């Protein structure tokens, strides 16, 4: 009985979030590239059968924060059998000693958290060695610490252009796909657009001008459960949504809740607030 209820809940949640993604995209200013936003369902701490259920609803992109958890899930027989077209995004902090393990993941689609030229080099050489010279290039994003918080990973905003330049010119096995940020938690949107998102937009502008890249080819990964609609309205092309699809995460070994762990009511209140904000802005 629980499984049936769970399946229905996940299915409804995926459809609901996809509809909200579509509506948010329709509210974007026409000056932004008309890229259809990609929904990444963040499945950390959730079991494979919930991923399979979301996949059955048409969801293809899934994100994980920890290398070991991603390795386990991507190699799970149920997922390998039921989700042949799954696309895995790595969205957590990547340590150099875990690079080889991560790059061995079946159906790895995008590493969103390259935060230094040295890490880019390591990923580049490992990918060449693991997949062969003729292999398809690995898509990567550069993570920028837009909020300047010590607790956040990502490179300082002023290093963005040089790091992207390094990847484009020195890392032949990598394909630079865009910029990613986490931003501060709980920003109050009644104060105006999220400054962390604005920062990522301006860094993209600099990258595109400095490297002569078309704007629509440089993605922006920003926005999570509480603010993905606002992120899309200001230009996100990739949003990472977990708790409103799969429910709150359980951390059995952790006495304190995760900083991003928000209750459904908070998400809904934030969504309402954002809706009023965006309606009044246009």
């Amino acid at each position: 009985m629980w499984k049936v209820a769970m399946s229905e809940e996940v299915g409804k949640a995926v459809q609901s979030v996809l509809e909200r993604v579509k509506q948010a995209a329709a509210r974007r200013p026409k000056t932004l590239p008309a890229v259809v936003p990609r929904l990444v369902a963040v499945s950390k701490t959730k079991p494979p059968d919930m991923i399979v259920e979301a996949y059955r609803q048409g969801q293809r992109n899934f994100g994980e924060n920890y290398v070991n958890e991603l390795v386990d899930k991507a190699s799970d027989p149920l997922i390998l059998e039921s989700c042949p077209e799954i696309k895995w995004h790595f969205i957590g902090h990547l340590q150099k000693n875990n690079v080889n393990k991560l790059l061995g993941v079946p159906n790895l689609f995008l590493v969103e958290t390259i935060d230094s030229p040295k890490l880019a080099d390591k990923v580049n050489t490992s990918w060449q060695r693991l997949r062969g010279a003729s292999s398809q290039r690995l898509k990567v994003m550069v993570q920028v610490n837009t909020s300047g918080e010590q607790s956040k990973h990502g490179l300082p905003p002023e290093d963005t252009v040089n790091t992207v330049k390094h990847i484009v010119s020195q890392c032949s096995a990598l394909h630079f796909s865009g910029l990613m940020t986490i931003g501060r938690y709980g920003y109050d949107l009644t104060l105006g657009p999220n400054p962390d998102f604005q920062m990522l937009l301006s860094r993209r502008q600099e990258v595109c001008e400095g490297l002569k890249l078309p704007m629509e080819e440089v993605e922006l990964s920003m926005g999570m459960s509480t603010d993905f609609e606002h992120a899309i309205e200001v230009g996100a092309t990739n949003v990472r949504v977990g708790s409103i699809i799969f429910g709150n995460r359980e951390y059995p070994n952790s006495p304190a809740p995760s900083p991003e762990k928000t209750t459904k009511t908070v998400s809904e209140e934030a969504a309402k607030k954002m809706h009023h904000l965006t309606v009044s802005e246009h």
Side-chain angles (χ1 to χ4, degrees):
M1 183 64 208
W2 176 83
K3 266 196 148 174
V4 173
M6 179 272 295
S7 296
E8 283 181 6
E9 286 299 308
V10 171
K12 280 183 198 155
V14 167
Q15 294 308 324
S16 162
V17 173
L18 283 171
E19 184 55 36
R20 286 165 66 184
V21 164
K22 198 165 119 190
Q23 288 174 5
R27 293 193 293 267
R28 282 186 302 206
K30 297 291 175 267
T31 48
L32 287 169
V35 177
V36 178
R38 180 196 298 110
L39 171 64
V40 178
V42 180
S43 46
K44 72 175 180 185
T45 80
K46 297 302 177 184
D49 47 5
M50 288 180 94
I51 295 169
V52 170
E53 192 47 49
Y55 185 94
R56 284 192 185 125
Q57 297 297 321
Q59 181 60 27
R60 291 294 177 267
N61 292 275
F62 291 83
E64 288 287 339
N65 287 62
Y66 300 107
V67 172
N68 287 342
E69 191 174 353
L70 175 52
V71 168
D72 289 347
K73 285 180 183 167
S75 313
D76 186 280
L78 179 66
I79 288 178
L80 285 171
E81 186 187 334
S82 308
C83 312
E85 293 171 11
I86 198 166
K87 294 175 178 176
W88 289 110
H89 293 233
F90 185 70
I91 58 173
H93 178 55
L94 179 58
Q95 293 168 310
K96 290 191 191 74
N97 61 344
N98 276 330
V99 166
N100 287 343
K101 195 186 282 187
L102 173 65
L103 299 191
V105 163
N107 297 310
L108 181 64
F109 178 71
L110 179 58
V111 177
E112 296 198 15
T113 48
I114 300 293
D115 60 4
S116 70
K118 279 185 176 171
L119 180 60
D121 287 340
K122 171 77 176 158
V123 172
N124 183 60
T125 53
S126 295
W127 187 254
Q128 281 174 326
R129 195 174 61 250
L130 280 168
R131 305 288 165 122
S134 62
S135 146
Q136 200 173 358
R137 290 187 298 162
L138 176 66
K139 290 183 169 66
V140 297
M141 287 183 174
V142 167
Q143 181 177 2
V144 184
N145 184 347
T146 51
S147 62
E149 294 168 278
Q150 292 294 309
S151 60
K152 298 281 191 300
H153 293 286
L155 48 81
E158 60 273 18
D159 293 352
T160 308
V161 175
N162 282 339
T163 305
V164 173
K165 199 175 281 184
H166 178 85
I167 292 171
V168 171
S169 62
Q170 306 295 320
C171 301
S172 59
L174 306 183
H175 173 75
F176 168 68
S177 290
L179 305 177
M180 178 266 209
T181 195
I182 294 173
R184 73 205 75 193
Y185 298 119
Y187 174 75
D188 182 357
L189 284 165
T190 58
L191 302 173
N194 186 323
D196 296 328
F197 297 169
Q198 299 299 314
M199 167 79 78
L200 205 65
L201 281 159
S202 67
R203 295 299 159 187
R204 176 172 70 174
Q205 186 85 28
E206 286 176 13
V207 165
C208 290
E209 286 171 5
L211 278 74
K212 305 286 185 286
L213 296 172
M215 195 84 79
E216 59 276 9
E217 285 180 20
V218 180
E219 291 204 46
L220 295 178
S221 176
M222 56 191 195
M224 304 198 298
S225 281
T226 53
D227 58 7
F228 72 92
E229 287 156 302
H230 171 64
I232 289 169
E233 285 163 17
V234 298
T237 62
N238 189 82
V239 290
R240 311 176 305 268
V241 177
S243 53
I244 54 175
I245 293 176
F246 297 112
N248 281 335
R249 301 190 182 99
E250 303 305 322
Y251 293 90
N253 304 322
S254 144
S258 154
E260 70 187 280
K261 189 173 175 184
T262 52
T263 62
K264 199 169 179 188
T265 48
V266 172
S267 300
E268 283 167 357
E269 276 169 23
K272 278 181 198 148
K273 195 183 278 183
M274 275 182 283
H275 183 64
H276 293 316
L277 180 73
T278 50
V279 167
S280 62
E281 274 179 356
H282 294 285

